[in-house]
Amino acid sequence: MAVTPQSAPGPTSQPRAGSALAVRMAAPAFVLLWSSAFIAGTVGLRSAPPLLLTLMRLAAAGLILTVVAWITRAPWPRGRQLGHVIVAGLLLQAAQFGGFYWALSLGLPAALVALIQGLTPVLTATAAWLLLGERTSGRQRLGFVLGAAGVVLALAGRMDVHGGASAALIPAAIGLAGAGLGLLYQQRYCAGMDLRTGTATQLLASVPVLALLAFTVEHPAVSRPLSLAWSLAWLVLVNSIGAFLLMYTMLRRRPASAVSSLFFLTPAVTAVLAFLFLGEGLSWAIVAGLVLSGAGVTLATRQPRAAAAGRAAAEPSRPRAADHAEDPIAAGAPEWRE
């Protein structure tokens, strides 16, 4: 019996299914990779000061991505786009990690730093509403409240801020501002950047700032080189490259407030990883906070069926970058955008 065109499977059915699976796995993979940075960072801080560790992490990741971009002949940002990429990099890399690691060096407990970073979604959603007019539904706002409550619950009873460490709240606030505003700036002005060259530019642009701070604020010294090497390998390949590429990819599909809501999960997930790999205690509050944060993220990121159906109906009318370019991570790929 002859096979009619209607009964033949479409040539793009499997790729579309694989793409949908990859989209669904991006968020949990990002949370796991981002949270693992606290574990690798804890190991690394036993061998190097925090700012020096951050400097080596960003410099190594930037050089690796530069080599990848050169081999693949990826286009580099130029002109006005270059300026936007550098600004986003200084916020997301230098300000965020420099601020948080500087706070650690001044004695702020890691649990409190994780809590402050976990509040990134609140800042991002507020800034998106004030600066970009990005609207949020009542369900999303409830998700933000639940997520923030889960973060606080997960770390309840683990705060220990003495008078000398209170000054570290200033660089921690800088780190929080860098994370929240950097996400918005990245989505607004850098959505079309090539992920290889754009990320490499952001990493390398942050190196001089961190180098200045590392050699003026602290006394750079390295011990336990083998342990430091393993820690840096994970921080560079998994966190600075893998996690950021995932985050930038999600920013091309979702609002910045929705992507940032994933940070609600990182403190509790970090606590679970610390229990498994560092032998730290795991209390009922951490488990309850993880469940509450998960519910908040679900509410904040779930999109109405009507909106999803409308985008699905509009998809066939738009050209797909895969039909016109061989490189799936080239700049401005329409399939990554809302």
Side-chain angles (χ1 to χ4, degrees):
M1 181 177 65
V3 179
T4 63
Q6 288 79 6
S7 61
T12 60
S13 58
Q14 291 184 353
R16 285 177 180 269
S19 176
L21 178 62
V23 170
R24 290 191 182 97
M25 292 302 297
F30 170 76
V31 172
L32 183 61
L33 296 184
W34 194 275
S35 300
S36 69
F38 288 93
I39 309 303
T42 299
V43 176
L45 287 173
R46 298 170 182 171
S47 306
L51 292 179
L52 180 61
L53 178 66
T54 309
L55 171 63
M56 292 187 289
R57 165 186 172 177
L58 300 189
L63 291 176
I64 291 174
L65 281 178
T66 298
V67 173
V68 171
W70 177 73
I71 293 175
T72 58
R73 298 181 179 180
W76 288 87
R78 296 181 179 180
R80 182 176 297 181
Q81 185 191 39
L82 175 61
H84 288 316
V85 169
I86 291 176
V87 171
L90 291 176
L91 288 170
L92 286 170
Q93 303 289 350
Q96 179 179 196
F97 295 110
F100 286 140
Y101 276 76
W102 192 359
L104 286 172
S105 70
L106 293 178
L108 199 65
L112 186 53
V113 173
L115 170 61
I116 294 173
Q117 187 184 48
L119 296 176
T120 299
V122 178
L123 174 62
T124 303
T126 303
W129 171 57
L130 293 176
L131 302 179
L132 305 181
E134 185 177 293
R135 296 181 179 180
T136 57
S137 65
R139 183 189 65 255
Q140 288 175 313
R141 290 191 290 271
L142 176 60
F144 292 141
V145 173
L146 290 177
V151 169
V152 175
L153 180 61
L155 297 175
R158 302 185 66 180
M159 308 307 165
D160 181 22
V161 182
H162 51 79
S166 60
L169 292 174
I170 297 176
I174 294 175
L176 176 61
L181 298 179
L183 283 170
L184 289 177
Y185 199 95
Q186 173 70 28
Q187 184 183 56
R188 175 86 177 212
Y189 298 106
C190 307
M193 77 177 192
D194 184 279
L195 295 183
R196 297 155 295 187
T197 56
T199 308
T201 301
Q202 292 180 341
L203 290 165
L204 295 178
S206 303
V207 168
V209 177
L210 289 170
L212 178 63
L213 291 174
F215 288 95
T216 56
V217 174
E218 59 192 18
H219 302 285
V222 173
S223 61
R224 302 179 184 177
L226 183 59
S227 176
L228 178 62
W230 282 109
S231 172
L232 275 175
W234 186 271
L235 289 172
V236 169
L237 299 176
V238 175
N239 301 124
S240 287
I241 295 179
F244 267 89
L245 291 181
L246 272 176
M247 183 177 71
Y248 290 160
T249 300
M250 289 188 295
L251 282 172
R252 291 180 174 182
R253 294 189 61 91
R254 304 177 181 179
S257 57
V259 175
S260 69
S261 68
L262 297 174
F263 285 101
F264 282 139
L265 289 171
T266 56
V269 173
T270 300
V272 173
L273 293 177
F275 169 75
L276 294 174
F277 296 101
L278 300 179
E280 296 184 2
L282 186 63
S283 66
W284 66 268
I286 294 175
V287 177
L290 178 58
V291 174
L292 193 59
S293 295
V297 170
T298 300
L299 289 175
T301 59
R302 188 175 181 180
Q303 299 172 353
R305 292 182 179 180
R311 281 193 304 274
E315 279 295 327
S317 63
R318 297 188 308 182
R320 291 176 57 84
D323 299 331
H324 305 284
E326 297 179 357
D327 192 344
I329 60 173
E335 69 267 27
W336 293 118
R337 298 183 180 180
E338 281 293 329

